[in-house]
Amino acid sequence: MTVNRDFKAILWDMDGTLADSEALHLRTLILVLAHHGVEAGDELHPLIFGKTGREVHALCCERFGLSTDLAAWSAFRARCYIEGARSLEPRPGARNVYRAAKRAGLAQAIVSNSSRMLLEANLNALDLQDPQLVSVSANDVRAGKPEPEPYERAAYLLRLHPNQAIVVEDSPTGALAAIAAGMRVLAWPLDDAGAALFHPAAQIVRSERELAAALNLPSLMTN
């Protein structure tokens, strides 16, 4: 059966969208802060959601009066993350949609605000390693999300115009980056409260099946 679509590729965010990794990112932040004598907890999550590691470091230095070096800070967090990533799980339903899109012959790429090291750890944990996979990390661009560069870079590598790609994001920050790049966005928040934070141009999907339907993937919709 031929399926008509108005896009040629799916660009996936990683953390929170494909990987259920937000709790692990928060845990590494709490650990590095404890290492520097700062006690913190879940209250930090809304402040760091969707931000790059560099932005989180700057935020914490300002908030807690720290003067720690970014390189040492990042290395400590990366070690903690790599250890925790061994037990990382995919977001429920996400890998089903990813694999259905692959079966349908759609081009796919992964666009993350995390460093290359952490992105590769996620790919390995989710069994998504592929020599042909296009992926963009914070190390591959000058400006991360919400700037459009990461998504523009992915479209360039796929040899597509930005309007030929559709983006799946769980964060308003990532959605803004994709919208700025001229792409259609499917926003897949964790809850209804999160849905209210997205730009009006983003189309909200609330489940694996709604996501599959928006991507016109009948093989999943009929399972």
Side-chain angles (χ1 to χ4, degrees):
M1 179 180 67
T2 300
V3 177
N4 292 320
R5 297 186 179 92
D6 59 358
F7 61 92
K8 293 185 177 180
I10 304 170
L11 309 185
W12 295 86
D13 171 57
M14 173 55 84
D15 293 298
T17 302
L18 278 171
D20 188 10
S21 55
E22 294 294 345
L24 178 56
H25 278 288
L26 179 61
R27 187 157 74 248
T28 67
L29 179 59
I30 292 171
L31 287 171
V32 73
L33 285 170
H35 182 69
H36 288 89
V38 176
E39 184 177 341
D42 292 350
E43 73 280 356
L44 290 179
H45 184 253
L47 302 179
I48 68 170
F49 186 43
K51 289 184 168 59
T52 64
R54 182 180 295 274
E55 289 171 328
V56 171
H57 172 259
L59 182 152
C60 288
C61 285
E62 180 179 355
R63 185 180 180 90
F64 300 111
L66 300 176
S67 58
T68 177
D69 176 69
L70 173 62
W73 169 281
S74 300
F76 185 98
R77 285 193 72 188
R79 287 194 298 271
C80 295
Y81 191 94
I82 296 300
E83 183 176 347
R86 297 170 187 167
S87 57
L88 196 65
E89 295 289 335
R91 180 176 178 176
R95 195 161 53 182
N96 292 340
V97 179
Y98 183 94
R99 288 174 172 168
K102 188 172 184 177
R103 290 194 301 271
L106 281 164
Q108 298 185 94
I110 296 176
V111 182
S112 176
N113 249 5
S114 290
S115 69
R116 170 59 56 184
M117 187 176 180
L118 303 192
L119 176 55
E120 293 296 337
N122 287 347
L123 290 171
N124 187 57
L126 301 186
D127 193 25
L128 295 179
Q129 293 280 22
D130 182 340
Q132 303 303 314
L133 177 65
V134 168
S135 62
V136 177
S137 73
N139 299 94
D140 304 316
V141 295
R142 293 171 298 175
K145 307 172 191 177
E147 296 301 317
E149 186 182 355
Y151 281 113
E152 292 172 339
R153 175 72 176 166
Y156 169 80
L157 292 172
L158 290 170
R159 295 176 171 82
L160 296 175
H161 189 276
N163 67 15
Q164 294 176 302
I166 189 167
V167 171
V168 184
E169 270 282 358
D170 76 308
S171 82
T173 299
L176 287 174
I179 291 167
M183 298 176 181
R184 180 183 163 201
V185 179
L186 300 178
W188 191 15
L190 293 177
D191 51 41
D192 287 339
L197 302 176
F198 281 88
H199 189 283
Q203 177 185 345
I204 305 296
V205 294
R206 290 181 168 83
S207 69
E208 169 190 359
R209 288 193 171 275
E210 285 190 15
L211 177 59
L215 294 171
N216 207 350
L217 293 172
S219 62
L220 179 66
M221 293 157 55
T222 56
N223 286 346

